[in-house]
Amino acid sequence: MYQVVPGGAGGTITDVIPKQKHTKDTRPLVGAGVIGLVLVIAAVTAWCYYIASLRKAELLKTQLLDLNKDGYIIRNQGGSIVFRMDFRSGTLDLDSCSKEGEMLSCGRTTDRKLNFFIETVRPKDTVQCYRVRWEELVPDIPVEHAMTYKFAHWYGGAVSAIQHWPISLSGQQAPKPFVTSDIYSNRDEFGGILESYWLSSNATAIKINNSVPFHLGWNDTEKTMYFQARYNDSPFKPNPGEAPCAELSYRVCVGLDVTSIHKYMVRRYFNKPYKVPAKVMFSHPIWSTWALHKTKIDQEKLLEYAANIRKYNFNCSHLELDDGYTSHYGEFEFDPVKFPNASDMFQKLKTDGFLVSLWIHPFVNYDSANFHTCVERDLFVREPTGRLPALVRWWNGVGGILDFTNPEAREWFASKLRSLRSRYGVASFKFDAGETNYLPWKFSTRTPIRDPSFFTRRYTEMAILYNDRAELRSGYQSQNISCFFRPIDRDSVWGYELGLKSLIPTVLTISILGYQFILPDMIGGNAYLNRTDGRHTLPDRELYIRWLELSAFMPSMQFSVPPWEYGDEVVEIARKYTALHESIVAPRVLELASEVVDTGDPIIRPLWWIATGDETAYKIDSQFLIGDDLMVAPVLEPGKQERDIYLPAGHWRSYKGERFDIKEPLHLTDYPVDLDEIAYFVWV
């Protein structure tokens, strides 16, 4: 096969003679080279993609927030995840995203264009905030983000019929309009005092922008709250001339602890009262005719009620004459049959040292003499076309509802209130209703409103001239009305559904929403038929006493069912607690009330306010603080004359004189509390 021939320099030359053999032996080498080249190209390509992915990953981070195509997470300074939001209305196309400074923006999802951005804002060293906005460019596409709430305990949002602290959601709820509603009549809806603000125990807070057509839903299985913006199948409306393109925009802020982040959010985003109501409202109880007499009140019963207040030696901020003093709803004159000498009655009450406030509402029933006037002058909320007044049904019949966006309707209503004040010397008014569920599902107003709850705001403004002693039960962005707000009517029962146990969670929720002058409704509840614990029409005696004790530690007290209905022993207990309220509670509350004007901080505070890292304090719903130094622990169970009490670390003295100097929180198990007692502790 091989031929050897002589070569130079003593060497040899080896020559491959057969050409076929040469081709067959080198083919694997050529193949290997091609494969190697492909592998090199692939490696280079992979490296490029890796570098690009690193750059994209870095691009999609902003401070402590990580964005991905399906949502984002936020970490605290320690690196722990404190907030997670998932996108349910689309998947971001990350190739459309860019970053400029602290602004991270994206221009499309996988199937459509949009405007999306997250901007990092650091307003102070201890707070970091993120402005988030998702805006659809195509009409009638809802925007929905899903917030995971399993990382912490959450507070805020709205009052509810079954009130818990912290928030306790059950079942599944598709997003529904987040608007004010009468939860006595509609117990599955959001309540009459409402703000789109939530706060968590891991020092995270979220505030939805007021311009958002906001709907809220949840899924308890997934531990998720759904934040949705939409205009279709909704009472929200875009501004006139604008396309119904939904926008969900909000701000998430993270701080060092739950108390400090709430203080920041309140100062930054909430209205604040510009004055404090009359001091006597804090010191002396209000006496209402409602729970005792309902609509059967008349002149004789009112005078007898006032005489008994004096007979039993009680103080009185003012008498509240509730429903039943007019002939028809929507009139502003006293029923001449029930109140034959209204002027003389008012004069006698004034001579006896009583001021009087009147119950009023925004409705004019069709059988009222004022109904025709309001139709002719176009003073009612109208149906969507604006051509006809809208008839609405409320708990006292059918009629029109005054359009408080209409300056003429506001002036007409205000003139009626002025007339009552000038003619009879009426001190103030109890403004009832105002929730949006009494508006038609579709309606029109003189001044167009995007958010139905803005109607609530407009109604509450009618109380400003009377805010020394006025009372409201609905509120939306209404903290600066500067009057007392009360939760919806309580039933005369023990439980969490509008009962005694709901009172502390409700008051704490209202406080967190920025409403600090709180009237906790009538002692013992409203004594409604079939909604009362007790053998007779009166609330249960023990329930009444425990309710009385709790009310003594609220910013204001209100009687209706009077203590003398239960006999001398309860009268003595009532005297004891009205005196305690005036001497111990009211001075402290008034001091705190003067600070509210500047800070917006709660008067009634949760235990975590002074125990920010205490997991147990986050869940306590049967104790509360007045300021930082007075802790209250009422008995809220029937048949009990003891209770478990949780004392945060500190220096405390009990109402019995016991001293507790503790470096760690302390559980007092089965602490004795007699029927005529309420446990409270003062910071020493």
Side-chain angles (χ1 to χ4, degrees), residues 404 410 413-414 417 431 458-466:
F404 290 101
R410 292 165 69 89
F413 186 72
L417 305 190
F431 292 80
R458 282 298 191 209
Y459 176 59
T460 63
E461 290 170 357
M462 302 308 297
I464 291 175
L465 291 177
Y466 307 95

Side-chain angles (χ1 to χ4, degrees), residues 596-618:
V596 167
V597 176
D598 297 319
T599 67
D601 289 346
I603 294 173
I604 304 298
R605 300 173 181 177
L607 260 60
W608 52 249
W609 193 266
I610 61 171
T612 55
D614 189 334
E615 177 65 23
T616 301
Y618 293 143

Side-chain angles (χ1 to χ4, degrees), residues 68 98 105 111 147 169 171 186 281 353 391 436 439 461 475 526:
N68 60 58
S98 61
S105 58
D111 62 357
M147 184 190 80
L169 300 173
N186 305 276
M281 285 275 289
L391 290 180
T436 64
L439 296 169
E461 290 170 357
N526 285 259

